[in-house]
Amino acid sequence: MLGSAFRKVRRDLAFRHGRRLRQFNYWLVARAAMAMISVLRLLPVDRALNFADRVARRIGPWVGRHDVAIDNLRKAYPEKSESEIQAIASDMWGNMARLAAEYIFLDALFDFDPAATKPGRVEVKGIDHFVEIAGEEKPHIIFTGHLGNFELLPVAAATFGMNITALFRPPNNPYLADYILSTRRSTMGSLLPSSTGASFALAGILEKGGNIGVLVDQKFSGGLETTFFGRPCESNRILATLARHYDCDVYPARCMRLPGNRFRLEIEDRLILPRTASGSVDVHGTTQLLNDVVERWVREDPGQWMWFHKRWEISNRRKKRRKQAREHGEAA
């Protein structure tokens, strides 16, 4: 009995120590990041973004997630040489560094002016769709992936008068999360953290005829079994479920990086969603369709996507079910 009590005390102390150590690590990383932000603020926009790109291309290969990215790239592109794989990974690190640095300059970056006589830093394709969605008094769903600077899409939506609530996942680091959230709120309109109850909040927005924006290219443990680049993965069903319930239009939108620190924001034609025999939206087929759209975007410029994400990791519960099914098949 004494030994059991001692073990409990030891576990409690280890938990408290681990939590404090984690919080200190978050604080340390945040201080380093804010110091880098202070340096970047002293530079002109283009020099700051190019500097962040160069540094990330050197540091990226030494980060633990680089191995994850390389493994994912090899499996996604078995026909590519090792030098091509490494080049895509290098582009990815440069893209991610630019994305981080661009938070500082979001207000300055978005310079789109429909009346301008010469192109600026941002060009927009699909303006008619932006205007149409903004003018319709019914719910819409706009989805995208982690490509280019996807944060510019809500800025563009607000520019065209579109009332949209963007679902986002805050960083695990609470200190960085506060900074990023304050930056986003100053330029992007309504934001909804992805947490327990977020699906009900999104449903409430659509119920009132509002518009929502969702990122759809992340792993979702326990989600629908789909494929991405021909490999099994788990995907969140929420967008397809909401589209079925409210029978609302779904639009793909993306951001592409262009040479010279420029961007092209594009909203594509409304998707024709697969239907069941009864006429309702097919949730599984729609979820797979979203993956297919994002895969098409990624294949067009793979260096602009975050390959270090464990997109193809399967939850333990599904692994167990697969194993049981195999064993049952062999026994039969």
Side-chain angles (χ1 to χ4, degrees):
M1 187 173 181
L2 184 61
S4 176
F6 176 75
R7 285 193 296 271
K8 183 179 183 303
V9 171
R10 186 172 60 182
R11 284 196 302 270
D12 290 344
L13 289 174
F15 175 76
R16 292 175 186 174
H17 177 71
R19 185 170 58 181
R20 289 173 181 171
L21 185 61
R22 185 167 58 252
Q23 285 298 113
F24 175 72
N25 183 60
Y26 282 150
W27 179 84
L28 199 61
V29 170
R31 297 314 301 170
M34 298 308 292
M36 177 62 72
I37 287 172
S38 298
V39 172
L40 292 176
R41 284 186 187 278
L42 300 175
L43 301 174
V45 175
D46 289 306
R47 285 185 60 189
L49 300 184
N50 294 339
F51 173 76
D53 183 294
R54 289 195 302 271
V55 171
R57 287 174 185 269
R58 294 185 179 183
I59 295 177
W62 298 96
V63 176
R65 283 298 181 105
H66 184 75
D67 292 337
V68 175
I70 294 298
D71 182 61
N72 284 334
L73 281 163
R74 286 171 180 161
K75 291 175 179 175
Y77 295 103
E79 75 282 2
K80 291 188 180 295
S81 66
E82 190 62 22
S83 61
E84 289 175 312
I85 294 296
Q86 294 292 342
I88 294 173
S90 181
D91 288 343
M92 175 201 70
W93 287 119
N95 174 67
M96 297 309 299
R98 287 177 180 275
L99 175 62
E102 283 160 359
Y103 277 111
I104 309 169
F105 305 106
L106 275 179
D107 289 333
L109 288 175
F110 192 84
D111 63 351
F112 178 75
D113 180 2
T117 56
K118 60 179 182 179
R121 191 182 292 273
V122 175
E123 61 183 61
V124 179
K125 186 176 180 181
I127 292 177
D128 290 346
H129 290 319
F130 275 108
V131 174
E132 180 182 2
I133 294 170
E136 291 181 336
E137 295 183 359
K138 66 177 187 178
H140 303 83
I141 299 175
I142 297 93
F143 74 92
T144 190
H146 291 82
L147 292 142
N149 190 332
F150 51 91
E151 304 284 14
L152 288 173
L153 289 167
V155 182
T159 299
F160 289 102
M162 187 192 301
N163 181 21
I164 188 168
T165 299
L167 182 69
F168 78 102
R169 182 184 182 278
N172 293 331
N173 188 316
Y175 304 101
L176 288 179
D178 289 343
Y179 169 76
I180 292 175
L181 183 58
S182 65
T183 303
R184 283 171 158 170
R185 278 182 172 156
S186 66
T187 55
M188 299 179 190
S190 300
L191 294 168
L192 177 66
S194 57
S195 57
T196 303
S199 59
F200 296 103
L202 292 175
I205 293 166
L206 295 175
E207 184 75 41
K208 296 175 183 177
N211 308 307
I212 62 172
V214 185
L215 286 153
V216 299
D217 57 343
Q218 291 181 300
K219 177 191 72 174
F220 188 80
S221 297
L224 290 177
E225 188 166 0
T226 54
T227 60
F228 189 59
F229 277 79
R231 297 169 58 196
C233 62
E234 294 178 308
S235 301
N236 195 336
R237 68 171 70 218
I238 182 62
L239 189 155
T241 301
L242 291 171
R244 180 180 66 180
H245 186 75
Y246 294 99
D247 201 21
C248 52
D249 294 341
V250 176
Y251 286 86
R254 60 170 167 168
C255 173
M256 292 165 281
R257 291 192 184 280
L258 303 176
N261 293 319
R262 297 183 65 249
F263 308 88
R264 177 182 298 128
L265 306 180
E266 177 182 12
I267 185 164
E268 299 180 353
D269 293 340
R270 175 177 61 89
L271 288 184
I272 305 301
L273 304 182
R275 302 271 174 170
T276 63
S278 64
S280 62
V281 171
D282 182 338
V283 172
H284 189 277
T286 296
T287 304
Q288 182 60 58
L289 177 59
L290 305 181
N291 282 1
D292 295 341
V293 171
V294 175
E295 180 178 333
R296 168 171 58 84
W297 291 340
V298 175
R299 286 188 179 278
E300 289 181 14
D301 194 336
Q304 296 197 31
W305 192 64
M306 52 174 203
W307 289 95
F308 58 76
H309 177 57
K310 296 182 180 180
R311 181 67 179 94
W312 292 273
E313 188 174 71
I314 303 298
S315 62
N316 290 331
R317 183 182 301 176
R318 178 156 280 142
K319 285 179 182 178
K320 186 176 180 180
R321 288 203 301 265
R322 283 182 173 182
K323 182 179 179 181
Q324 291 173 342
R326 287 196 302 268
E327 291 174 349
H328 179 74
E330 291 170 359

